[in-house]
Amino acid sequence: MVDLLPIFIKVTETIKNNMHEWFEKYPDGMPWTVVSDYCVGDNEKNNDVFSFVIIANHDKTENIMEYISKVAPRDLKKVRRVPQGLIDYLTCEYPITFSISFVINRKSALLRDYLGVAEMREFIPDVSNLINSLKDSSLKSDTLDPTYFTDTLKRLDVFLNDLGRKQLNVSLARQIHLASSFAATVFYLVTKSTGAGHIRWVSDRDKLIEHNDTVVYDLSYIYFILMLSACDNNETNELGNVILNNPNVTFEVPDKVGKNRFDALIRLPDYLAGTLADISENLTFSKDKFYVVFQSVYVHSSNNCIVQLGSDGENIFARSVLYR
């Protein structure tokens, strides 16, 4: 799984540069919010999609949610006509959002041929060793809880045991691995493009998030650290280790029951994931509303990006896509 990270860094190089240009007016050290939603495992759709929308700290979260709730009170699957107010927010010329969606054709079955159970199991002991190393070498700080490493090791151990069970949900395990690597890629891009001081991940409620006490958050953070470690211009402490709380990354845990308190924010990636899950290889759609979102948001866009992934049985391919 770790082998995918250099691929993601390479394929998103242009996206990183575009993001830097898009958000260049904002100062280093700012907080950023990453909101995600997924359309995965739907046999009636053409693609599995993991969509992330990056929101600049241009207003209070409460005000942003109030606006979205007014202009787009329902999810994409519940509307016949696409609300223009939501489109305006995603395509605003003032740089307030930037989206990245990772699209995998259903024929690739979440990269099944490349990402098997053995591959998912093999890397966890190495990651656990890395966490132990970070635990021993990291300096204490107000934003880095020393118990985090111990708790992460416990969750990874449970996940490793799950991967050895006969009744393993292999598809869910792949979803967790992929979602964490995609989130880490987004964290990396935001950090390198904006000099972020704080990144907050807000996700929709989903099995891939809830499984094993949100182990997906642990994996995404470790993948993020690995991606940063591959760079030459990171801030380090006196021991030469990358400073882990720069940026500080936090994770919002979705409410398990009732309405998600961030439901309005999640509507942004919901419209993107739903649209890209429906698109066919010859750019046709099952419903007009999907075409409206695609045409309005993605064609000639400077701030809404797509990364396509697939597998041919032995290798994977990844490419960023721009529609004109």
Side-chain angles (χ1 to χ4, degrees):
M1 185 65 208
V2 175
D3 293 342
L4 290 175
L5 302 182
I7 296 174
F8 294 158
I9 290 177
K10 182 177 180 179
V11 78
T12 59
E13 180 68 24
T14 299
I15 294 176
K16 182 183 71 173
N17 295 334
N18 291 343
M19 189 186 299
H20 175 72
E21 293 179 4
W22 186 253
F23 286 135
E24 64 180 351
K25 67 172 292 179
Y26 293 102
D28 290 350
M30 253 188 60
W32 298 81
T33 297
V34 174
V35 190
S36 61
D37 196 14
Y38 328 97
C39 188
V40 181
D42 188 340
N43 293 327
E44 297 183 358
K45 296 297 183 180
N46 295 306
N47 309 295
D48 290 314
V49 184
F50 302 75
S51 290
F52 298 82
V53 176
I54 301 145
I55 306 175
N57 189 34
H58 66 95
D59 202 345
K60 293 181 179 179
T61 299
E62 294 78 7
N63 294 338
I64 298 173
M65 290 196 296
E66 182 180 3
Y67 167 80
I68 298 173
S69 295
K70 288 180 178 178
V71 300
R74 294 184 293 173
D75 296 343
L76 179 61
K77 61 180 175 291
K78 298 177 183 178
V79 302
R80 292 185 178 180
R81 299 184 63 181
V82 178
Q84 186 59 44
L86 184 138
I87 296 296
D88 291 342
Y89 191 75
L90 287 169
T91 60
C92 180
E93 293 183 0
Y94 188 85
I96 57 176
T97 69
F98 194 105
S99 77
I100 306 171
S101 293
F102 299 87
V103 180
I104 307 173
N105 188 282
R106 293 277 297 160
K107 295 177 182 178
S108 293
L110 293 171
L111 310 184
R112 177 181 57 200
D113 296 325
Y114 181 86
L115 189 58
V117 175
E119 287 76 19
M120 289 189 284
R121 283 181 55 86
E122 286 173 358
F123 91 103
I124 290 183
D126 292 334
V127 170
S128 297
N129 290 335
L130 171 62
I131 294 172
N132 276 314
S133 176
L134 294 173
K135 178 181 178 182
D136 294 337
S137 61
S138 298
L139 299 177
K140 293 183 179 180
S141 71
D142 293 335
T143 56
L144 188 61
D145 186 349
T147 63
Y148 166 76
F149 298 106
T150 302
D151 293 341
T152 297
L153 288 169
K154 291 179 180 178
R155 288 188 288 267
L156 286 176
D157 188 54
V158 172
F159 191 36
L160 180 61
N161 290 334
D162 278 353
L163 289 171
R165 291 191 298 110
K166 292 183 178 180
Q167 302 300 320
L168 169 68
N169 185 337
V170 181
S171 178
L172 178 59
R174 288 195 188 93
Q175 291 175 30
I176 292 170
H177 278 284
L178 290 169
S180 58
S181 64
F182 296 152
T185 301
V186 174
F187 300 162
Y188 168 83
L189 293 173
V190 174
T191 300
K192 292 302 179 182
S193 299
T194 71
H198 185 105
I199 298 174
R200 173 179 63 161
W201 183 11
V202 177
S203 173
D204 192 12
R205 183 187 299 134
D206 194 279
K207 288 183 180 180
L208 69 88
I209 296 294
E210 298 171 350
H211 191 67
N212 281 351
D213 197 19
T214 63
V215 70
V216 65
Y217 290 156
D218 300 313
L219 292 173
S220 66
Y221 185 66
I222 293 301
Y223 288 153
F224 174 50
I225 294 301
L226 288 172
M227 296 177 90
L228 285 182
S229 299
C231 302
D232 297 326
N233 56 343
N234 297 305
E235 187 176 354
T236 59
N237 59 26
E238 60 267 26
L239 298 176
N241 300 311
V242 174
I243 297 178
L244 297 183
N245 57 340
N246 185 30
N248 183 29
V249 181
T250 58
F251 306 93
E252 296 284 355
V253 179
D255 303 308
K256 292 186 177 181
V257 295
K259 185 177 181 179
N260 191 324
R261 64 189 184 280
F262 293 110
D263 183 65
L265 288 184
I266 294 165
R267 234 158 273 153
L268 297 171
D270 167 80
Y271 275 69
L272 302 182
T275 296
L276 295 177
D278 189 79
I279 190 173
S280 69
E281 293 181 350
N282 58 353
L283 301 184
T284 59
F285 300 86
S286 64
K287 296 180 180 180
D288 290 343
K289 63 182 178 181
F290 299 126
Y291 174 77
V292 172
V293 175
F294 177 77
Q295 181 70 25
S296 302
V297 174
Y298 286 109
V299 177
H300 298 294
S301 178
S302 299
N303 66 310
N304 295 286
C305 304
I306 299 172
V307 176
Q308 289 184 339
L309 299 103
S311 173
D312 63 5
E314 295 182 359
N315 303 299
I316 67 166
F317 69 82
R319 61 184 181 183
S320 57
V321 180
L322 181 64
Y323 291 97
R324 297 294 188 188

